[in-house]
Amino acid sequence: PGPHEDSCAIVYGDVAGKSVSGALMMMAAHEVLNSLALTHRDPERLMDLANQRLYSLGRRKSFVAVAYLAPTPDGCGIRYLLAGQPQPFLRRRSGDIVELGLPENRIPLGALKNGNYQLCGVEMGPGDLILGYSDGVVDARSPDDEPFGTDRLAQVVADGPDGPRKLVDYVMGVLADFTRGTEPYDDLTLVAVQCDQEAER
């Protein structure tokens, strides 16, 4: 495989805009990304082409925030691309929490004609875990209209259990307690990946 060819990748997204317009834009984004991924393995090129196709639809008030996560070819890290999505959190095995660095350009797909998307990377060790999320998570509000916020999410990630599925369930539980039945304004998306702890053996 070449330097940008991944055997697997995770892409998650969130459309701006509600009702029929938003649903149509998400359907278009899903179709465009799936069709382009069959012939374009370089994520930067993939996102640039997807952006141009969605921009050509002319729906200026509706665009798609997307994030891409994939293992590095050597299996010792994660490469990521952000197009409108928040910075994922990295929880080291030591318990340290950091936000992944932001690329220079991270415009949502379909918002501008030229996206100039950039692939970033971070090294990971056995047991390190990354949590990606949509802005609906940090924008979730309590009955008193207090936002959940990035700082609170970072603390929840720090306090959460080991394992991707357990961490996602834990965050969702904390969110449910925080909002206490308040109708969410936006969709909630959580994606967690962990470096195989068996790799150190």
Side-chain angles (χ1 to χ4, degrees):
H4 294 300
E5 293 182 354
D6 302 304
S7 58
C8 63
I10 296 172
V11 176
Y12 57 95
D14 183 27
V15 67
K18 306 295 181 184
S19 68
V20 175
S21 175
L24 289 175
M25 189 61 165
M26 182 54 80
M27 289 174 59
H30 187 270
E31 181 178 344
V32 164
L33 286 168
N34 271 291
S35 62
L36 288 173
L38 296 175
T39 53
H40 295 83
R41 301 298 297 274
D42 180 342
E44 293 176 349
R45 181 65 175 155
L46 170 65
M47 293 302 171
D48 277 331
L49 289 173
N51 176 67
Q52 291 169 21
R53 290 197 185 180
L54 293 176
Y55 182 84
S56 70
L57 297 178
R59 297 180 179 138
R60 298 294 172 261
K61 293 184 179 180
S62 186
F63 44 83
V64 183
V66 168
Y68 168 102
L69 300 172
T72 55
D74 61 9
C76 296
I78 285 287
R79 293 183 299 158
Y80 63 96
L81 186 152
L82 301 175
Q85 289 286 3
Q87 299 159 263
F89 282 109
L90 169 61
R91 186 179 72 188
R92 296 290 186 189
R93 188 175 184 180
S94 64
D96 293 337
I97 303 290
V98 296
E99 283 184 298
L100 299 188
L102 281 174
E104 184 176 343
N105 297 307
R106 60 183 195 101
I107 304 299
L109 300 184
L112 295 176
K113 185 175 182 180
N114 296 312
N116 296 319
Y117 300 104
Q118 299 163 309
L119 194 64
C120 302
V122 62
E123 291 186 0
M124 296 178 68
D128 289 353
L129 188 149
I130 286 178
L131 181 79
Y133 62 96
S134 66
D135 57 6
V137 174
V138 293
D139 290 343
R141 294 184 174 271
S142 71
D144 297 327
D145 205 34
E146 177 187 2
F148 193 72
T150 304
D151 291 343
R152 182 179 278 107
L153 178 59
Q155 188 59 56
V156 171
V157 173
D159 296 339
D162 190 39
R165 184 179 298 276
K166 289 181 179 179
L167 179 62
V168 168
D169 289 344
Y170 178 76
V171 175
M172 289 300 294
V174 174
L175 277 167
D177 290 341
F178 179 81
T179 57
R180 297 195 295 280
T182 302
E183 187 70 23
Y185 172 75
D186 203 355
D187 295 331
L188 305 176
T189 300
L190 291 164
V191 174
V193 293
Q194 187 170 33
C195 186
D196 189 355
Q197 299 194 45
E198 296 295 325
E200 67 179 349
R201 296 180 182 176

